[in-house]
Amino acid sequence: MGPSTEWLLFLSTFIFLAFARAELPGTWELLVPNAGIASMHTAVTRFGTVVLLDRTNIGPTRRLLPRGHCRNDPNDAVLKKDCYAHSALFNPETNQIRPLMILTDTWCSSGQFLPDGTLLQTGGDMDGFKKIRKFVPCDPTQICDWEELKDAKLANGRWYATNQILPDGSVIIIGGRAANTVEFYPPRNNGALLFPFLADVEDSQMDNLYPYVHLLPNGHLFVFANNKAILYDHESNKVSRDYPTLDGGPRNYPSAGSSVMLALDGDYSTAVIVVCGGAQYGAFIEKSTDTPAHGSCGRIVATQAHPVWEMEDMPFGRIMGDMVMLPTGDVLIINGAQAGTQGFELASNPCLYPVLYRPDQPVGLRFMTLNPGTVPRMYHSTANLLPDGRVLIAGSNPHYFYKFNGDYPTELRIEAFSPEYLSPDRANIRPVIEEIPETLRFGEGFNVFITVSLPVVAPVEVNLGSAPFATHSFSQGQRLVKLTVRPAVPDDNGRYRISCTAPPDGRVAPPGYYMVFAVNQGVPSVAKWVQLVT
């Protein structure tokens, strides 16, 4: 008796899917099977280490603090004496993890790197509502930890706020639940300033939290919340223009899509913003886990005199996706779900397929579906670009506490996704940066020396990528700047010299540490960290 028709159909489908998966670009690797904590917030430091950060009122995690470093909090409803780590430092070169000690609650907080490489971390819930914290990173052979500031605090409590570094190196902190204001770090004398835009776009399920904030090369801020955007002059605290409404429903928390500003290049006068995905209005209020997510993307030239949204559709509807600027200028869209909304246990149908967004292609050809992962990355997951060109994937905890059974358990695994540019067949055109200044000043000329196995036959780009603070489907402070370069010239040592010009000012690239990539025929080098100073 031969095999049944159903079995043959199943077998052929399985073989087809396996073959299709193998043919899609990109590869996955498991870096850490158990990090001990689920990272709600993730940031890459100038030493290449990665700060993993959860909330402190989560109860027991799966990683202990060093002996004698317990946190005593009589107001904690779960653990009065908490000996568990809620933050950690991960080293991607060794895959080692060191627990860090955070004292006040960082649930749904915000962050940004300062010009000296310090990670500024602001707000949260409960005792963290007005807190300002700092993490001064150190060489992996040294010990560094969180510092809770005692001489400064937020003027307004910030829960679900967004931070953005400004051209002068200060940081603006925008919004938060019931906080329709902005303020700055270092703190300014006028404290918090009213920001009526956030109140205007608030709806019955909020949808104005974690606003998308992009520093444009004209020095103003593009601020997007719900389905609307404005151009904000942070120096005069005035709205310079209202942008057209973006069709397709709400896009911010809790209906989270994501957003990026595309790479700045040329004369840096043009800035293009992309907003993708989101949940249907009402899914959060109704606690609907199966309402299909939006698959639409809006793209707008924010610096045009009369900008309009150009619409296109992703291959998948997606909420809680992370948009990561790659060194090439392409955008990786990864993580998230295809139904429901943000919130505890409010989403379903994880979207395992990453998508590559290629900005230079015409509408209809910009999206490429990539090799799917196997680990659902739902609420409270993150994605960050590493200096070696991989994308670090961490977190996912759609439950109030840690829960390791049932659908979509708390995820403690850390993975890396390697885009196609890291495939072995491209290794012989991957450049190596042999020499580059450690410090750059605005507008100055400098040389980058590279080596590459095969002769250079096309222009080599030199691109600066920031290290953002990734949380809740938006990378705060994310930025890629393509430098003005001259063609690579061979020197006498088997290297190539590339003459470059640093960004002209802090509006194009705020002061701070950047990953500098040499990109040869779409293949990036391992980055070198460079500090851009005034």
Side-chain angles (χ1 to χ4, degrees):
M1 184 175 177
S4 68
T5 302
E6 290 83 359
W7 167 248
L8 288 174
L9 181 61
F10 168 79
L11 184 61
S12 63
T13 302
F14 176 80
I15 293 173
F16 171 78
L17 290 175
F19 179 77
R21 174 187 290 254
E23 290 298 304
L24 292 174
T27 58
W28 291 83
E29 58 183 315
L30 177 65
L31 302 183
V32 178
N34 183 355
I37 68 170
S39 190
M40 181 188 301
H41 321 286
T42 310
V44 180
T45 79
R46 67 185 181 91
F47 292 97
T49 53
V50 184
V51 176
L52 311 174
L53 181 60
D54 202 355
R55 41 184 266 237
T56 59
N57 64 353
I58 201 80
T61 64
R62 293 297 183 269
R63 184 168 291 271
L64 288 168
L65 289 165
R67 186 181 298 274
H69 286 72
C70 297
R71 181 178 65 96
N72 295 295
D73 184 357
N75 297 316
D76 194 311
V78 184
L79 290 173
K80 309 297 184 188
K81 183 178 182 181
D82 186 355
C83 299
Y84 294 92
H86 303 284
S87 182
L89 194 65
F90 170 60
N91 186 344
E93 292 191 359
T94 63
N95 289 341
Q96 297 299 305
I97 292 179
R98 179 171 64 83
L100 301 174
M101 188 166 186
I102 195 88
L103 295 177
T104 56
D105 189 29
T106 51
W107 184 8
C108 299
S109 50
S110 52
Q112 190 81 153
F113 282 102
L114 300 175
D116 66 356
T118 296
L119 178 59
L120 178 75
Q121 221 279 321
T122 50
D125 192 25
M126 307 297 287
D127 60 355
F129 197 41
K130 288 191 172 184
K131 275 291 180 178
I132 301 175
R133 313 165 193 86
K134 285 185 176 181
F135 181 80
V136 180
C138 58
D139 184 275
T141 61
Q142 300 175 319
I143 299 297
C144 42
D145 213 330
W146 285 103
E147 174 192 1
E148 310 253 348
L149 301 191
K150 296 180 173 60
D151 58 347
K153 65 178 182 179
L154 295 172
N156 286 169
R158 305 282 172 184
W159 197 25
Y160 304 89
T162 299
N163 294 8
Q164 170 64 53
I165 189 168
L166 298 174
D168 65 356
S170 64
V171 173
I172 188 169
I173 308 161
I174 298 181
R177 191 167 184 174
N180 298 321
T181 59
V182 304
E183 60 182 287
F184 300 87
Y185 183 87
R188 299 183 182 178
N189 292 334
N190 49 13
L193 303 173
L194 288 177
F195 192 55
F197 167 70
L198 292 178
D200 295 341
V201 298
E202 184 175 358
D203 56 29
S204 57
Q205 59 178 23
M206 294 169 290
D207 283 322
N208 66 345
L209 303 179
Y210 278 128
Y212 304 146
V213 180
H214 302 287
L215 173 65
L216 303 185
N218 58 17
H220 295 334
L221 297 174
F222 180 94
V223 184
F224 184 100
N226 196 330
N227 61 356
K228 294 182 172 61
I230 58 168
L231 185 65
Y232 175 59
D233 183 341
H234 58 87
E235 294 182 342
S236 63
N237 188 35
K238 292 181 180 179
V239 174
S240 302
R241 82 161 18 153
D242 294 295
Y243 290 95
T245 298
L246 175 59
D247 294 334
R251 308 281 184 161
N252 294 76
Y253 187 96
S255 301
S258 190
S259 177
V260 292
M261 180 173 68
L262 299 181
L264 300 176
D265 61 7
D267 64 0
Y268 306 121
S269 63
T270 301
V272 181
I273 309 297
V274 180
V275 179
C276 290
Q280 291 191 31
Y281 176 78
F284 182 77
I285 295 174
E286 297 162 7
K287 300 187 183 303
S288 171
T289 62
D290 56 3
T291 301
H294 293 299
S296 65
C297 287
R299 171 170 164 160
I300 193 168
V301 182
T303 46
Q304 275 186 346
H306 304 286
V308 295
W309 289 99
E310 177 186 71
M311 302 302 297
E312 52 194 324
D313 289 318
M314 296 185 288
F316 308 93
R318 194 186 301 254
I319 54 168
M320 300 182 291
D322 290 280
M323 299 181 74
V324 180
M325 287 296 306
L326 299 180
T328 58
D330 290 341
V331 181
L332 180 70
I333 307 174
I334 199 165
N335 298 336
Q338 298 180 71
T341 183
Q342 276 191 323
F344 293 119
E345 301 174 354
L346 291 181
S348 66
N349 192 10
C351 195
L352 299 175
Y353 284 88
V355 169
L356 187 68
Y357 178 79
R358 300 168 295 181
D360 295 336
Q361 297 296 315
V363 174
L365 297 176
R366 288 178 180 151
F367 294 103
M368 175 189 291
T369 301
L370 306 179
N371 188 25
T374 59
V375 179
R377 299 288 181 174
M378 308 283 276
Y379 190 40
H380 291 152
S381 56
T382 59
N384 294 74
L385 179 67
L386 293 174
D388 62 13
R390 295 178 298 170
V391 176
L392 188 79
I393 308 297
S396 185
N397 183 23
H399 313 287
Y400 191 86
F401 298 114
Y402 281 23
K403 182 179 178 181
F404 297 100
N405 51 35
D407 293 337
Y408 319 123
T410 302
E411 189 52 66
L412 303 181
R413 285 173 285 186
I414 296 178
E415 298 176 287
F417 179 78
S418 294
E420 189 177 20
Y421 56 54
L422 294 179
S423 60
D425 64 339
R426 302 189 184 190
N428 55 7
I429 59 172
R430 190 177 196 194
V432 175
I433 297 178
E434 301 287 354
E435 184 180 335
I436 188 173
E438 294 183 355
T439 303
L440 298 176
R441 295 191 179 276
F442 290 119
E444 76 172 350
F446 66 99
N447 292 323
V448 175
F449 293 89
I450 66 168
T451 56
V452 61
S453 297
L454 292 181
V456 171
V457 296
V460 178
E461 296 180 350
V462 177
N463 300 336
L464 273 63
S466 68
F469 180 85
T471 187
H472 290 77
S473 308
F474 182 65
S475 289
Q476 302 180 13
Q478 183 167 224
R479 190 174 211 85
L480 185 74
V481 179
K482 295 189 174 187
L483 299 185
T484 299
V485 299
R486 293 181 179 176
V489 178
D491 74 359
D492 297 332
N493 299 313
R495 308 180 303 178
Y496 290 89
R497 183 185 76 250
I498 307 171
S499 297
C500 312
T501 304
D505 53 46
R507 299 176 301 172
V508 173
Y513 282 89
Y514 290 82
M515 293 177 279
V516 180
F517 296 90
V519 181
N520 179 34
Q521 300 181 61
V523 178
S525 67
V526 174
K528 296 290 188 181
W529 288 93
V530 170
Q531 187 179 23
L532 184 60
V533 300
T534 55

